[in-house]
């Protein structure tokens, strides 16, 4: 990125006004007051969207969640996408978000690219920026997103039922495959990297899928820290177990061409895919298959909810054999911010 010299340093309120403040859209009447006051105001009485206010916060820190020198436009996209993915996992409809950002210095070119990426995805999902804060410091991006969902249908992690099918949307593992190539854990050709890198840098939150699953699915989680690790949150909170057919987990053609061990590592332990893993009664199988066609999105059954088991879940290979306990436990070790090295 070419640096353009700044004639005048940007102040806090100058950069908010220039890069982040936008007129409120009439398409979202729930937003009563946005950027510019001590608080934003959101109406909680929308007649066409009864229920609860869904709230989620995520923080991205340079060197921990993204690489130094990351493309600011893609970073702006991802910063909001990961929060919208949390709303998708609850079946919530986006309402608005706030942004708190710390930067070593306020560079206009970086801020222009970042805000363009951020506000483009915000506009796509009708989720306006309504407030936040800026300060000087190590590059840190914190977003809080708000949505609405009928609380009687919300896809809570604690609601998986015995006999439920376990489903996953799209494909998983490409983001981890790209990260491994960046870390030089393995080699990918430029063509392969071009195919998988967008999954890492510009994920797609499955908002519409989450909305469509209301009344169909029992529980859901977005795959941010690894499929099995994230699924374990559902199992623990629902006090159930699971059987997973690990080689039925959908993966891209690029990942399918890798060695089997690498495929399993990426699909079972890799994060940053932001697909939805959900459970639903068997009676809804045809409905879910029809939904996949409607959305033009692969929805794949990968297992079933079982009574609780000491190992939390049983992993089966493509021949139906149970993986050894030590190998299964290895795959259950998903990313943890305080245990996993950057």
């Amino acid at each position: 990125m070419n640096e353009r010299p700044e004639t005048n340093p940007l102040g806090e309120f100058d950069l908010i006004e220039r890069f982040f403040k936008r007129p409120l859209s009439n398409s979202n009447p729930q937003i009563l007051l946005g950027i510019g006051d001590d608080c934003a105001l959101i109406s909680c009485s929308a007649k066409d969207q009864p229920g609860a206010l869904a709230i989620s916060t995520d923080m991205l820190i340079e060197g921990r969640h993204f690489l130094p020198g990351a493309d600011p436009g893609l970073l702006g996209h991802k910063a909001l996408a990961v929060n919208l993915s949390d709303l998708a996992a609850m079946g919530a409809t986006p309402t608005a978000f706030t942004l708190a950002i710390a930067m070593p210095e306020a560079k206009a070119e970086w801020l222009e690219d970042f805000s363009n990426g951020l506000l483009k995805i915000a506009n796509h999902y009708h989720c306006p920026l309504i407030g936040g804060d800026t300060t000087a410091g190590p590059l840190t991006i914190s977003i809080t997103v708000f949505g609405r969902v009928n609380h009687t249908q919300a896809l809570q992690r604690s609601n998986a039922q015995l006999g439920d099918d376990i489903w996953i949307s799209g494909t998983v593992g490409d983001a981890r495959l790209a990260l491994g190539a960046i870390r030089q854990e393995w080699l990918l050709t430029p063509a392969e990297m071009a195919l998988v890198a967008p999954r890492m840098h510009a994920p797609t939150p499955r908002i519409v899928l989450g909305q469509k699953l209301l009344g169909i699915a029992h529980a859901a989680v977005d795959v941010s820290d690894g499929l099995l690790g994230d699924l374990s949150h559902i199992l623990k909170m629902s006090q159930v177990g699971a059987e997973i057919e690990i080689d039925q987990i959908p993966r891209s053609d690029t990942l399918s061409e890798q060695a089997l061990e690498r495929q399993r590592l990426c699909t079972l332990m890799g994060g940053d895919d932001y697909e939805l893993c959900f459970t639903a009664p068997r009676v809804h199988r045809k409905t879910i298959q029809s939904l996949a066609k409607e959305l033009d999105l692969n929805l794949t059954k990968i297992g079933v909810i079982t009574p609780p088991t000491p190992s939390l879940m049983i992993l089966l290979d493509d021949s139906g054999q149970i993986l050894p306990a030590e190998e299964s436990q290895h795959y259950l070790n998903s990313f943890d911010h305080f245990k996993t090295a950057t």
Side-chain angles (χ1 to χ4, degrees):
M1 185 172 70
N2 295 325
E3 295 292 340
R4 294 195 294 263
E6 289 292 323
T7 56
N8 295 304
L10 286 168
E12 177 182 0
F13 299 104
D14 295 327
L15 71 87
I16 292 171
E17 185 76 24
R18 178 173 169 184
F19 297 107
F20 298 110
K21 189 172 183 179
R22 298 291 186 275
L24 292 179
S25 171
N26 293 330
S27 65
N28 199 334
Q30 291 173 249
I31 309 304
L32 305 179
L33 185 64
I35 294 173
D37 220 302
D38 288 308
C39 292
L41 296 178
I42 302 175
S43 171
C44 294
S45 59
K47 294 180 180 179
D48 60 336
Q49 292 183 308
L53 189 64
I55 305 170
S56 178
T57 298
D58 268 305
M59 184 183 300
L60 300 179
I61 302 173
E62 185 177 46
R64 186 65 178 177
H65 302 94
F66 60 91
L67 299 172
D71 181 288
L74 293 176
L75 183 58
H77 172 103
K78 186 171 183 177
L80 182 55
V82 302
N83 282 268
L84 291 172
S85 184
D86 287 333
L87 291 186
M90 295 289 289
T93 299
T95 299
F97 75 101
T98 61
L99 166 70
I101 182 168
M103 300 166 284
E105 56 182 316
K107 292 185 177 181
E109 186 176 5
W110 189 95
L111 282 162
E112 183 174 2
D113 291 343
F114 174 81
S115 62
N116 284 341
L118 179 77
L119 298 179
K120 182 178 180 180
I121 185 173
N123 291 338
H124 180 79
Y125 290 101
H126 306 291
C127 186
L129 175 62
I130 59 171
D133 193 22
T134 61
T135 189
L139 184 56
T140 304
I141 303 158
S142 181
I143 285 178
T144 297
V145 70
F146 305 90
R148 292 191 65 85
V149 65
N150 187 325
H151 66 278
T152 64
Q153 293 183 317
L155 304 175
Q156 300 179 49
R157 296 179 181 181
S158 59
N159 203 35
Q161 307 293 314
L162 291 178
D164 276 0
D165 291 328
I166 302 171
W167 298 80
I168 186 72
S169 67
T171 62
V172 293
D174 278 358
R176 179 63 179 89
L177 185 62
L179 179 62
I182 292 171
R183 289 177 169 175
Q184 299 184 332
E185 297 175 27
W186 46 70
L187 294 176
L188 294 180
T189 67
E192 289 173 329
M193 192 63 178
L195 290 172
V196 298
R199 295 299 305 276
M200 176 182 175
H201 298 306
T204 301
R206 301 300 185 186
I207 291 291
V208 176
L209 173 61
Q211 295 168 339
K212 295 284 188 178
L213 288 175
L214 294 177
I216 297 174
H218 280 148
V221 66
D222 70 325
V223 181
S224 56
D225 296 326
L227 174 57
L228 295 190
D230 288 323
L231 175 59
S232 71
H233 299 315
I234 290 179
L235 304 184
K236 291 175 182 177
M237 294 187 69
S238 298
Q239 299 182 38
V240 294
E243 286 187 0
I244 304 295
E245 300 174 80
I246 62 172
D247 294 320
Q248 295 301 311
I249 297 171
R251 57 208 71 178
S252 69
D253 291 341
T254 303
L255 182 53
S256 296
E257 294 169 356
Q258 307 296 311
L260 181 60
E261 181 180 355
R262 188 177 302 166
Q263 291 182 44
R264 288 178 172 176
L265 183 153
C266 291
T267 56
L268 301 179
M269 301 176 68
D272 270 6
D273 287 299
Y274 296 99
E275 297 293 348
L276 294 189
C277 178
F278 60 95
T279 80
R282 293 184 59 178
V283 69
H284 287 319
R285 284 184 184 176
K286 288 186 177 180
T287 301
I288 293 171
Q289 291 164 353
S290 297
L291 182 59
K293 292 181 180 179
E294 177 188 342
L295 300 179
D296 192 24
L297 175 65
N298 289 334
L299 300 176
T300 307
K301 188 178 84 69
I302 61 171
V304 63
I305 295 295
T306 67
T309 173
S311 61
L312 196 62
M313 64 183 83
I314 296 171
L315 306 184
L316 307 174
D317 63 20
D318 58 358
S319 63
Q321 298 298 308
I322 299 176
L323 264 64
E326 183 176 343
E327 185 176 0
S328 295
Q329 188 58 47
H330 169 69
Y331 288 132
L332 283 168
N333 293 325
S334 62
F335 180 82
D336 185 296
H337 294 285
F338 292 98
K339 296 180 181 179
T340 309
T342 304

